[in-house]
């Protein structure tokens, strides 16, 4: 992982304990607790830059998932301190959707027709959608969350999280 990221101009920026769904197609409850190593790819030309999260099972240290993430969230993010950046991103729907549909097309070329599509929101506030593919080794989920307005809750702060991600969850135990 470290050598692969070095070859792709990736820099380790953080580690975090993080849960991922065991079977994201059909189970929104059961999670696997992982230790995630988070790399930022300097050569990515999308804003926000690509972060690659390698999720290792905390108990077995087996790689359980890899997430390709174009968004601001990382364990050290303080949304209130990044308000200006978040406000800028909420005005860039076209760029986010263009990237999302390009990734969808690339994944369809690799894996064929999706096995499931979930549209969770499409209104004046946000757009949230997930598309799933599955093979014998993994479940792949392409998802987008695009908040069209700043959501701020007193005493909690800003809740916006505009992002695109691809998460490959490996099936082996």
């Amino acid at each position: 992982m470290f050598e692969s990221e070095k070859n792709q101009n990736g820099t380790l920026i953080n580690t975090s304990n993080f849960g991922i769904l065991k079977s994201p197609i059909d189970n929104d409850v059961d999670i696997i607790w992982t230790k995630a190593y988070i790399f930022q790819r300097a050569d990515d030309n999308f804003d926000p830059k690509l972060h690659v999260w390698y999720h290792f099972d905390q108990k077995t240290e087996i790689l359980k998932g890899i997430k390709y993430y174009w968004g601001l969230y990382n364990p050290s993010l303080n949304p209130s301190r990044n308000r200006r950046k978040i406000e800028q991103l909420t005005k860039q729907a076209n760029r986010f959707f263009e990237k999302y549909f390009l990734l969808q097309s690339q994944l369809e070329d690799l894996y064929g027709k999706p096995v499931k599509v979930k549209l969770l929101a499409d209104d004046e506030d946000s757009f949230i959608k997930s598309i799933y593919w599955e093979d014998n080794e993994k479940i792949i989920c392409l998802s987008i969350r695009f908040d069209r307005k700043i959501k701020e809750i007193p005493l909690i702060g800003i809740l916006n999280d505009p992002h695109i991600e691809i998460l490959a969850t490996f099936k082996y135990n």
Side-chain angles (χ1 to χ4, degrees):
M1 154 189 70
F2 289 101
E3 190 63 33
S4 173
E5 284 300 321
K6 182 179 176 183
N7 292 337
Q8 297 181 67
N9 206 10
T11 303
L12 181 67
I13 60 164
N14 214 328
T15 60
S16 179
N17 294 327
F18 202 85
I20 62 172
L21 292 173
K22 184 176 182 178
S23 181
I25 287 180
D26 56 11
N27 185 329
D28 291 339
V29 177
D30 294 328
I31 63 172
I32 301 164
W33 284 103
T34 67
K35 180 172 184 177
Y37 294 85
I38 306 165
F39 292 82
Q40 182 177 25
R41 298 259 179 99
D43 295 340
D44 186 57
N45 60 5
F46 190 78
D47 180 31
K49 292 221 177 277
L50 171 62
H51 289 74
V52 182
W53 296 47
Y54 294 89
H55 293 272
F56 288 89
D57 186 295
Q58 286 183 347
K59 295 177 183 173
T60 65
E61 298 182 7
I62 294 173
L63 183 64
K64 297 303 283 184
I66 301 174
K67 181 187 333 185
Y68 300 89
Y69 180 82
W70 294 267
L72 295 179
Y73 176 78
N74 68 62
S76 61
L77 176 73
N78 180 330
S80 296
R81 289 189 197 142
N82 289 278
R83 181 182 188 102
R84 184 171 169 203
K85 179 68 173 176
I86 293 169
E87 287 173 346
Q88 290 173 345
L89 291 176
T90 62
K91 297 173 185 168
Q92 298 178 10
N94 289 343
R95 279 189 343 94
F96 271 81
F97 289 116
E98 183 179 297
K99 178 74 169 177
Y100 180 76
F101 291 124
L102 173 65
L103 292 169
Q104 179 181 346
S105 176
Q106 291 171 339
L107 288 167
E108 286 175 349
D109 288 347
L110 287 171
Y111 298 105
K113 186 176 178 178
V115 296
K116 187 174 186 176
V117 177
K118 290 195 313 193
L119 180 62
L120 301 175
D122 185 6
D123 55 37
E124 64 184 35
D125 292 331
S126 60
F127 181 84
I128 304 170
K129 183 177 181 181
S130 298
I131 303 174
Y132 299 87
W133 292 265
E134 183 174 20
D135 65 21
N136 293 333
E137 300 167 352
K138 63 194 164 301
I139 297 167
I140 296 164
C141 176
L142 167 65
S143 63
I144 184 170
R145 176 186 179 122
F146 189 82
D147 297 310
R148 295 177 172 118
K149 299 177 180 177
I150 295 289
K151 297 175 189 170
E152 191 165 6
I153 297 176
L155 303 176
I156 293 177
I158 297 173
L159 297 179
N160 287 51
D161 183 19
H163 69 271
I164 299 168
E165 73 178 54
I166 299 170
L167 176 60
T169 305
F170 300 108
K171 293 181 178 181
Y172 52 78
N173 294 323

